[in-house]
Amino acid sequence: MASEKEAALAAVPTDSPTIFDKIINKEIPANIVYEDDKVLAFRDIAPQAPTHIVIIPKVKDGLTGLSKAEEKHCEILGYLLYTAKLVAKQEGLDDGFRLVINDGPKGCQSVYHLHIHLLGGRQMNWPPG
Ligand code: AMP
Protein backbone atom coordinates (compact mmCIF):
# COMPACT_ATOMS: atom_id res chain seq x y z
CA MET A 1 0.00 0.00 0.00
CA ALA A 2 1.36 3.42 -0.94
CA SER A 3 2.50 5.68 1.87
CA GLU A 4 0.48 8.78 2.66
CA LYS A 5 3.19 10.85 0.95
CA GLU A 6 3.14 8.68 -2.17
CA ALA A 7 -0.67 8.89 -2.28
CA ALA A 8 -0.46 12.66 -1.97
CA LEU A 9 2.15 13.03 -4.69
CA ALA A 10 0.11 10.76 -6.98
CA ALA A 11 -3.09 12.73 -6.41
CA VAL A 12 -4.05 15.22 -9.10
CA PRO A 13 -5.54 18.46 -7.80
CA THR A 14 -9.02 18.48 -9.28
CA ASP A 15 -12.54 19.75 -8.71
CA SER A 16 -13.98 16.36 -9.74
CA PRO A 17 -15.97 14.28 -7.26
CA THR A 18 -13.81 12.38 -4.77
CA ILE A 19 -14.21 9.39 -2.50
CA PHE A 20 -15.62 11.79 0.09
CA ASP A 21 -18.66 12.42 -2.17
CA LYS A 22 -19.31 8.68 -2.08
CA ILE A 23 -19.16 8.79 1.72
CA ILE A 24 -21.52 11.81 1.83
CA ASN A 25 -23.94 10.02 -0.50
CA LYS A 26 -23.62 6.78 1.54
CA GLU A 27 -22.46 4.92 -1.57
CA ILE A 28 -19.55 3.50 0.42
CA PRO A 29 -19.46 2.81 4.15
CA ALA A 30 -17.71 5.02 6.64
CA ASN A 31 -17.58 5.11 10.40
CA ILE A 32 -19.53 8.33 10.84
CA VAL A 33 -19.21 9.99 14.25
CA TYR A 34 -21.07 13.26 13.57
CA GLU A 35 -23.42 14.49 10.86
CA ASP A 36 -25.70 17.44 10.34
CA ASP A 37 -27.00 19.30 7.31
CA LYS A 38 -23.68 21.07 6.66
CA VAL A 39 -20.85 18.75 7.72
CA LEU A 40 -19.87 15.12 8.09
CA ALA A 41 -17.21 13.63 10.39
CA PHE A 42 -15.96 10.07 10.05
CA ARG A 43 -13.02 7.97 11.24
CA ASP A 44 -9.98 8.01 8.98
CA ILE A 45 -9.41 4.68 7.24
CA ALA A 46 -5.65 4.93 7.94
CA PRO A 47 -5.50 6.43 11.42
CA GLN A 48 -2.37 8.33 12.45
CA ALA A 49 -3.42 8.53 16.11
CA PRO A 50 -5.76 6.56 18.42
CA THR A 51 -8.44 9.09 17.47
CA HIS A 52 -8.28 10.27 13.85
CA ILE A 53 -11.38 11.82 12.39
CA VAL A 54 -11.89 13.58 9.08
CA ILE A 55 -14.33 16.50 9.06
CA ILE A 56 -15.69 17.70 5.72
CA PRO A 57 -18.26 20.12 4.32
CA LYS A 58 -21.13 18.28 2.64
CA VAL A 59 -21.15 20.82 -0.16
CA LYS A 60 -17.69 21.32 -1.61
CA ASP A 61 -18.56 24.57 -3.43
CA GLY A 62 -15.11 24.79 -5.03
CA LEU A 63 -13.27 24.05 -1.78
CA THR A 64 -10.99 21.38 -3.15
CA GLY A 65 -8.54 22.64 -0.56
CA LEU A 66 -8.05 25.55 1.81
CA SER A 67 -5.97 27.40 -0.80
CA LYS A 68 -9.17 27.74 -2.87
CA ALA A 69 -11.08 29.48 -0.07
CA GLU A 70 -12.92 32.69 -0.89
CA GLU A 71 -14.71 35.13 1.38
CA LYS A 72 -18.01 33.32 0.70
CA HIS A 73 -16.58 30.26 2.44
CA CYS A 74 -15.91 31.97 5.78
CA GLU A 75 -19.11 30.67 7.37
CA ILE A 76 -18.51 27.02 6.50
CA LEU A 77 -14.83 27.27 7.42
CA GLY A 78 -15.76 28.55 10.86
CA TYR A 79 -18.43 25.89 11.18
CA LEU A 80 -15.92 23.16 10.37
CA LEU A 81 -13.64 24.39 13.16
CA TYR A 82 -16.55 24.55 15.58
CA THR A 83 -17.54 21.01 14.58
CA ALA A 84 -13.98 19.87 15.28
CA LYS A 85 -14.35 21.21 18.81
CA LEU A 86 -17.70 19.43 19.24
CA VAL A 87 -16.32 16.13 17.97
CA ALA A 88 -13.18 16.44 20.12
CA LYS A 89 -15.44 16.83 23.15
CA GLN A 90 -17.62 13.92 22.03
CA GLU A 91 -14.48 11.77 21.67
CA GLY A 92 -13.31 12.67 25.16
CA LEU A 93 -10.18 14.51 24.00
CA ASP A 94 -10.28 16.73 27.06
CA ASP A 95 -6.52 17.02 27.49
CA GLY A 96 -5.84 18.20 23.96
CA PHE A 97 -5.93 17.37 20.30
CA ARG A 98 -4.50 18.53 16.98
CA LEU A 99 -6.21 19.81 13.85
CA VAL A 100 -4.44 19.47 10.50
CA ILE A 101 -5.37 20.73 7.05
CA ASN A 102 -3.13 19.42 4.29
CA ASP A 103 -3.08 21.54 1.16
CA GLY A 104 -1.68 20.62 -2.24
CA PRO A 105 1.12 18.22 -3.15
CA LYS A 106 3.69 19.75 -0.80
CA GLY A 107 1.14 19.74 2.00
CA CYS A 108 0.59 15.99 1.40
CA GLN A 109 -3.07 16.43 0.39
CA SER A 110 -4.41 13.28 -1.25
CA VAL A 111 -8.18 13.95 -1.40
CA TYR A 112 -9.24 17.16 -3.11
CA HIS A 113 -12.30 17.95 -0.99
CA LEU A 114 -11.41 20.28 1.88
CA HIS A 115 -11.12 18.42 5.17
CA ILE A 116 -9.84 18.87 8.68
CA HIS A 117 -8.00 16.03 10.38
CA LEU A 118 -8.81 15.76 14.09
CA LEU A 119 -6.05 13.82 15.83
CA GLY A 120 -5.89 12.86 19.47
CA GLY A 121 -5.41 10.18 22.06
CA ARG A 122 -1.62 10.40 22.12
CA GLN A 123 1.04 13.01 22.81
CA MET A 124 1.73 15.12 19.72
CA ASN A 125 5.18 16.50 18.93
CA TRP A 126 6.29 19.92 17.78
CA PRO A 127 7.65 20.73 15.26
CA PRO A 128 5.66 18.16 13.28
CA GLY A 129 8.54 17.27 10.92
P1 AMP B 1 -5.24 14.13 3.01
O1 AMP B 1 -4.02 13.29 2.78
O2 AMP B 1 -5.00 15.29 3.92
O3 AMP B 1 -5.87 14.54 1.70
O4 AMP B 1 -6.26 13.24 3.80
C1 AMP B 1 -7.13 12.35 3.20
C2 AMP B 1 -7.45 11.33 4.26
O5 AMP B 1 -8.58 10.61 3.86
C3 AMP B 1 -6.32 10.33 4.51
O6 AMP B 1 -5.91 10.41 5.86
C4 AMP B 1 -6.98 8.99 4.19
O7 AMP B 1 -6.57 7.94 5.04
C5 AMP B 1 -8.45 9.31 4.35
N1 AMP B 1 -9.34 8.46 3.59
C6 AMP B 1 -9.27 8.16 2.29
N2 AMP B 1 -10.28 7.34 1.93
C7 AMP B 1 -11.01 7.16 3.05
C8 AMP B 1 -12.19 6.40 3.35
N3 AMP B 1 -12.82 5.68 2.41
N4 AMP B 1 -12.67 6.42 4.61
C9 AMP B 1 -12.05 7.13 5.57
N5 AMP B 1 -10.92 7.87 5.35
C10 AMP B 1 -10.41 7.86 4.11
PDB file of all heavy atoms in Angstrom, residues 4 19-20 23 28 42-46 52 54 102 108-111 115 117, ligand 1:
ATOM      1  N   GLU A   4       1.302   7.570   2.764  1.00  0.00           N
ATOM      2  CA  GLU A   4       0.478   8.784   2.657  1.00  0.00           C
ATOM      3  C   GLU A   4       1.128   9.781   1.707  1.00  0.00           C
ATOM      4  O   GLU A   4       0.457  10.439   0.919  1.00  0.00           O
ATOM      5  CB  GLU A   4       0.319   9.415   4.044  1.00  0.00           C
ATOM      6  CG  GLU A   4      -0.544   8.609   4.990  1.00  0.00           C
ATOM      7  CD  GLU A   4      -1.982   8.502   4.522  1.00  0.00           C
ATOM      8  OE1 GLU A   4      -2.582   9.518   4.185  1.00  0.00           O
ATOM      9  OE2 GLU A   4      -2.506   7.377   4.477  1.00  0.00           O
ATOM     10  N   ILE A  19     -13.684  10.462  -3.350  1.00  0.00           N
ATOM     11  CA  ILE A  19     -14.214   9.389  -2.500  1.00  0.00           C
ATOM     12  C   ILE A  19     -15.076   9.951  -1.378  1.00  0.00           C
ATOM     13  O   ILE A  19     -15.994   9.288  -0.893  1.00  0.00           O
ATOM     14  CB  ILE A  19     -13.050   8.523  -1.962  1.00  0.00           C
ATOM     15  CG1 ILE A  19     -13.582   7.242  -1.337  1.00  0.00           C
ATOM     16  CG2 ILE A  19     -12.195   9.278  -0.963  1.00  0.00           C
ATOM     17  CD1 ILE A  19     -12.733   6.055  -1.550  1.00  0.00           C
ATOM     18  N   PHE A  20     -14.816  11.204  -0.994  1.00  0.00           N
ATOM     19  CA  PHE A  20     -15.621  11.789   0.086  1.00  0.00           C
ATOM     20  C   PHE A  20     -17.066  12.029  -0.377  1.00  0.00           C
ATOM     21  O   PHE A  20     -17.990  11.966   0.436  1.00  0.00           O
ATOM     22  CB  PHE A  20     -14.988  13.089   0.587  1.00  0.00           C
ATOM     23  CG  PHE A  20     -13.698  12.897   1.371  1.00  0.00           C
ATOM     24  CD1 PHE A  20     -12.952  13.996   1.789  1.00  0.00           C
ATOM     25  CD2 PHE A  20     -13.234  11.632   1.701  1.00  0.00           C
ATOM     26  CE1 PHE A  20     -11.781  13.829   2.522  1.00  0.00           C
ATOM     27  CE2 PHE A  20     -12.053  11.455   2.419  1.00  0.00           C
ATOM     28  CZ  PHE A  20     -11.323  12.563   2.834  1.00  0.00           C
ATOM     29  N   ILE A  23     -18.849   8.943   0.286  1.00  0.00           N
ATOM     30  CA  ILE A  23     -19.164   8.791   1.720  1.00  0.00           C
ATOM     31  C   ILE A  23     -20.366   9.669   2.076  1.00  0.00           C
ATOM     32  O   ILE A  23     -21.284   9.228   2.769  1.00  0.00           O
ATOM     33  CB  ILE A  23     -17.921   9.138   2.576  1.00  0.00           C
ATOM     34  CG1 ILE A  23     -16.840   8.068   2.364  1.00  0.00           C
ATOM     35  CG2 ILE A  23     -18.293   9.274   4.049  1.00  0.00           C
ATOM     36  CD1 ILE A  23     -15.512   8.352   3.046  1.00  0.00           C
ATOM     37  N   ILE A  28     -20.509   4.404  -0.205  1.00  0.00           N
ATOM     38  CA  ILE A  28     -19.548   3.496   0.422  1.00  0.00           C
ATOM     39  C   ILE A  28     -19.646   3.704   1.931  1.00  0.00           C
ATOM     40  O   ILE A  28     -19.998   4.792   2.385  1.00  0.00           O
ATOM     41  CB  ILE A  28     -18.097   3.697  -0.081  1.00  0.00           C
ATOM     42  CG1 ILE A  28     -17.604   5.109   0.225  1.00  0.00           C
ATOM     43  CG2 ILE A  28     -17.976   3.389  -1.554  1.00  0.00           C
ATOM     44  CD1 ILE A  28     -16.112   5.264   0.017  1.00  0.00           C
ATOM     45  N   PHE A  42     -16.073  11.537  10.057  1.00  0.00           N
ATOM     46  CA  PHE A  42     -15.957  10.068  10.046  1.00  0.00           C
ATOM     47  C   PHE A  42     -14.524   9.665  10.375  1.00  0.00           C
ATOM     48  O   PHE A  42     -13.584  10.448  10.182  1.00  0.00           O
ATOM     49  CB  PHE A  42     -16.385   9.501   8.681  1.00  0.00           C
ATOM     50  CG  PHE A  42     -15.708  10.137   7.502  1.00  0.00           C
ATOM     51  CD1 PHE A  42     -14.519   9.640   7.004  1.00  0.00           C
ATOM     52  CD2 PHE A  42     -16.257  11.265   6.901  1.00  0.00           C
ATOM     53  CE1 PHE A  42     -13.894  10.243   5.909  1.00  0.00           C
ATOM     54  CE2 PHE A  42     -15.641  11.877   5.815  1.00  0.00           C
ATOM     55  CZ  PHE A  42     -14.457  11.363   5.322  1.00  0.00           C
ATOM     56  N   ARG A  43     -14.350   8.440  10.868  1.00  0.00           N
ATOM     57  CA  ARG A  43     -13.020   7.970  11.245  1.00  0.00           C
ATOM     58  C   ARG A  43     -12.168   7.731   9.996  1.00  0.00           C
ATOM     59  O   ARG A  43     -12.650   7.163   9.007  1.00  0.00           O
ATOM     60  CB  ARG A  43     -13.114   6.690  12.085  1.00  0.00           C
ATOM     61  CG  ARG A  43     -13.828   6.928  13.396  1.00  0.00           C
ATOM     62  CD  ARG A  43     -13.610   5.844  14.433  1.00  0.00           C
ATOM     63  NE  ARG A  43     -14.538   6.079  15.545  1.00  0.00           N
ATOM     64  CZ  ARG A  43     -14.359   6.982  16.516  1.00  0.00           C
ATOM     65  NH1 ARG A  43     -13.250   7.707  16.537  1.00  0.00           N
ATOM     66  NH2 ARG A  43     -15.261   7.166  17.455  1.00  0.00           N
ATOM     67  N   ASP A  44     -10.911   8.194  10.091  1.00  0.00           N
ATOM     68  CA  ASP A  44      -9.983   8.009   8.976  1.00  0.00           C
ATOM     69  C   ASP A  44      -9.689   6.522   8.802  1.00  0.00           C
ATOM     70  O   ASP A  44      -9.514   5.786   9.783  1.00  0.00           O
ATOM     71  CB  ASP A  44      -8.687   8.782   9.232  1.00  0.00           C
ATOM     72  CG  ASP A  44      -7.886   8.987   7.972  1.00  0.00           C
ATOM     73  OD1 ASP A  44      -7.361   7.981   7.430  1.00  0.00           O
ATOM     74  OD2 ASP A  44      -7.789  10.137   7.494  1.00  0.00           O
ATOM     75  N   ILE A  45      -9.622   6.103   7.552  1.00  0.00           N
ATOM     76  CA  ILE A  45      -9.406   4.685   7.243  1.00  0.00           C
ATOM     77  C   ILE A  45      -7.967   4.257   7.544  1.00  0.00           C
ATOM     78  O   ILE A  45      -7.695   3.068   7.705  1.00  0.00           O
ATOM     79  CB  ILE A  45      -9.776   4.427   5.751  1.00  0.00           C
ATOM     80  CG1 ILE A  45     -10.135   2.974   5.528  1.00  0.00           C
ATOM     81  CG2 ILE A  45      -8.685   4.901   4.811  1.00  0.00           C
ATOM     82  CD1 ILE A  45     -10.791   2.718   4.186  1.00  0.00           C
ATOM     83  N   ALA A  46      -7.065   5.218   7.632  1.00  0.00           N
ATOM     84  CA  ALA A  46      -5.651   4.929   7.940  1.00  0.00           C
ATOM     85  C   ALA A  46      -5.222   5.821   9.094  1.00  0.00           C
ATOM     86  O   ALA A  46      -4.474   6.787   8.913  1.00  0.00           O
ATOM     87  CB  ALA A  46      -4.781   5.160   6.707  1.00  0.00           C
ATOM     88  N   HIS A  52      -8.588   9.544  15.100  1.00  0.00           N
ATOM     89  CA  HIS A  52      -8.276  10.267  13.853  1.00  0.00           C
ATOM     90  C   HIS A  52      -9.573  10.374  13.055  1.00  0.00           C
ATOM     91  O   HIS A  52     -10.063   9.376  12.509  1.00  0.00           O
ATOM     92  CB  HIS A  52      -7.195   9.535  13.059  1.00  0.00           C
ATOM     93  CG  HIS A  52      -6.757  10.285  11.829  1.00  0.00           C
ATOM     94  ND1 HIS A  52      -5.676   9.885  11.062  1.00  0.00           N
ATOM     95  CD2 HIS A  52      -7.222  11.425  11.231  1.00  0.00           C
ATOM     96  CE1 HIS A  52      -5.526  10.732  10.048  1.00  0.00           C
ATOM     97  NE2 HIS A  52      -6.462  11.660  10.119  1.00  0.00           N
ATOM     98  N   VAL A  54     -11.909  12.649  10.204  1.00  0.00           N
ATOM     99  CA  VAL A  54     -11.894  13.579   9.077  1.00  0.00           C
ATOM    100  C   VAL A  54     -13.225  14.341   9.084  1.00  0.00           C
ATOM    101  O   VAL A  54     -14.288  13.724   9.165  1.00  0.00           O
ATOM    102  CB  VAL A  54     -11.728  12.814   7.746  1.00  0.00           C
ATOM    103  CG1 VAL A  54     -11.770  13.763   6.563  1.00  0.00           C
ATOM    104  CG2 VAL A  54     -10.433  12.006   7.745  1.00  0.00           C
ATOM    105  N   ASN A 102      -4.151  19.565   5.322  1.00  0.00           N
ATOM    106  CA  ASN A 102      -3.128  19.416   4.294  1.00  0.00           C
ATOM    107  C   ASN A 102      -3.606  20.121   3.035  1.00  0.00           C
ATOM    108  O   ASN A 102      -4.780  20.016   2.669  1.00  0.00           O
ATOM    109  CB  ASN A 102      -2.881  17.932   4.009  1.00  0.00           C
ATOM    110  CG  ASN A 102      -2.325  17.191   5.213  1.00  0.00           C
ATOM    111  OD1 ASN A 102      -1.564  17.756   5.999  1.00  0.00           O
ATOM    112  ND2 ASN A 102      -2.706  15.934   5.379  1.00  0.00           N
ATOM    113  N   CYS A 108       0.977  17.416   1.287  1.00  0.00           N
ATOM    114  CA  CYS A 108       0.589  15.993   1.398  1.00  0.00           C
ATOM    115  C   CYS A 108      -0.927  15.797   1.337  1.00  0.00           C
ATOM    116  O   CYS A 108      -1.462  14.867   1.953  1.00  0.00           O
ATOM    117  CB  CYS A 108       1.144  15.351   2.664  1.00  0.00           C
ATOM    118  SG  CYS A 108       2.603  14.359   2.335  1.00  0.00           S
ATOM    119  N   GLN A 109      -1.623  16.641   0.569  1.00  0.00           N
ATOM    120  CA  GLN A 109      -3.068  16.433   0.389  1.00  0.00           C
ATOM    121  C   GLN A 109      -3.282  15.324  -0.633  1.00  0.00           C
ATOM    122  O   GLN A 109      -2.660  15.327  -1.701  1.00  0.00           O
ATOM    123  CB  GLN A 109      -3.733  17.731  -0.094  1.00  0.00           C
ATOM    124  CG  GLN A 109      -5.249  17.607  -0.218  1.00  0.00           C
ATOM    125  CD  GLN A 109      -5.929  18.914  -0.587  1.00  0.00           C
ATOM    126  OE1 GLN A 109      -5.266  19.930  -0.824  1.00  0.00           O
ATOM    127  NE2 GLN A 109      -7.248  18.893  -0.634  1.00  0.00           N
ATOM    128  N   SER A 110      -4.143  14.368  -0.299  1.00  0.00           N
ATOM    129  CA  SER A 110      -4.410  13.277  -1.246  1.00  0.00           C
ATOM    130  C   SER A 110      -5.857  13.265  -1.726  1.00  0.00           C
ATOM    131  O   SER A 110      -6.150  12.684  -2.769  1.00  0.00           O
ATOM    132  CB  SER A 110      -4.060  11.920  -0.627  1.00  0.00           C
ATOM    133  OG  SER A 110      -4.834  11.675   0.526  1.00  0.00           O
ATOM    134  N   VAL A 111      -6.770  13.891  -0.978  1.00  0.00           N
ATOM    135  CA  VAL A 111      -8.175  13.945  -1.397  1.00  0.00           C
ATOM    136  C   VAL A 111      -8.549  15.412  -1.567  1.00  0.00           C
ATOM    137  O   VAL A 111      -8.455  16.204  -0.617  1.00  0.00           O
ATOM    138  CB  VAL A 111      -9.101  13.265  -0.365  1.00  0.00           C
ATOM    139  CG1 VAL A 111     -10.552  13.376  -0.810  1.00  0.00           C
ATOM    140  CG2 VAL A 111      -8.712  11.796  -0.182  1.00  0.00           C
ATOM    141  N   HIS A 115     -10.829  19.182   3.946  1.00  0.00           N
ATOM    142  CA  HIS A 115     -11.117  18.419   5.167  1.00  0.00           C
ATOM    143  C   HIS A 115     -10.156  18.809   6.267  1.00  0.00           C
ATOM    144  O   HIS A 115      -9.021  19.189   6.022  1.00  0.00           O
ATOM    145  CB  HIS A 115     -11.049  16.915   4.908  1.00  0.00           C
ATOM    146  CG  HIS A 115      -9.803  16.462   4.222  1.00  0.00           C
ATOM    147  ND1 HIS A 115      -9.599  16.624   2.876  1.00  0.00           N
ATOM    148  CD2 HIS A 115      -8.690  15.854   4.699  1.00  0.00           C
ATOM    149  CE1 HIS A 115      -8.417  16.129   2.539  1.00  0.00           C
ATOM    150  NE2 HIS A 115      -7.838  15.666   3.635  1.00  0.00           N
ATOM    151  N   HIS A 117      -8.323  17.228   9.606  1.00  0.00           N
ATOM    152  CA  HIS A 117      -7.996  16.027  10.375  1.00  0.00           C
ATOM    153  C   HIS A 117      -8.056  16.397  11.859  1.00  0.00           C
ATOM    154  O   HIS A 117      -7.396  17.357  12.281  1.00  0.00           O
ATOM    155  CB  HIS A 117      -6.572  15.547  10.083  1.00  0.00           C
ATOM    156  CG  HIS A 117      -6.336  15.094   8.670  1.00  0.00           C
ATOM    157  ND1 HIS A 117      -6.414  13.773   8.298  1.00  0.00           N
ATOM    158  CD2 HIS A 117      -6.016  15.778   7.548  1.00  0.00           C
ATOM    159  CE1 HIS A 117      -6.137  13.662   7.008  1.00  0.00           C
ATOM    160  NE2 HIS A 117      -5.894  14.867   6.523  1.00  0.00           N
TER     161      HIS A 117
HETATM  162  P1  AMP B   1      -5.238  14.130   3.013  1.00  0.00           P
HETATM  163  O1  AMP B   1      -4.022  13.288   2.783  1.00  0.00           O
HETATM  164  O2  AMP B   1      -5.002  15.294   3.919  1.00  0.00           O
HETATM  165  O3  AMP B   1      -5.871  14.540   1.700  1.00  0.00           O
HETATM  166  O4  AMP B   1      -6.262  13.244   3.801  1.00  0.00           O
HETATM  167  C1  AMP B   1      -7.128  12.345   3.202  1.00  0.00           C
HETATM  168  C2  AMP B   1      -7.454  11.332   4.255  1.00  0.00           C
HETATM  169  O5  AMP B   1      -8.581  10.606   3.855  1.00  0.00           O
HETATM  170  C3  AMP B   1      -6.323  10.325   4.513  1.00  0.00           C
HETATM  171  O6  AMP B   1      -5.910  10.407   5.862  1.00  0.00           O
HETATM  172  C4  AMP B   1      -6.982   8.987   4.191  1.00  0.00           C
HETATM  173  O7  AMP B   1      -6.572   7.942   5.035  1.00  0.00           O
HETATM  174  C5  AMP B   1      -8.446   9.311   4.347  1.00  0.00           C
HETATM  175  N1  AMP B   1      -9.338   8.461   3.594  1.00  0.00           N
HETATM  176  C6  AMP B   1      -9.269   8.156   2.290  1.00  0.00           C
HETATM  177  N2  AMP B   1     -10.278   7.343   1.932  1.00  0.00           N
HETATM  178  C7  AMP B   1     -11.011   7.156   3.052  1.00  0.00           C
HETATM  179  C8  AMP B   1     -12.189   6.402   3.346  1.00  0.00           C
HETATM  180  N3  AMP B   1     -12.818   5.680   2.407  1.00  0.00           N
HETATM  181  N4  AMP B   1     -12.670   6.423   4.613  1.00  0.00           N
HETATM  182  C9  AMP B   1     -12.046   7.132   5.569  1.00  0.00           C
HETATM  183  N5  AMP B   1     -10.924   7.870   5.349  1.00  0.00           N
HETATM  184  C10 AMP B   1     -10.414   7.865   4.115  1.00  0.00           C
END
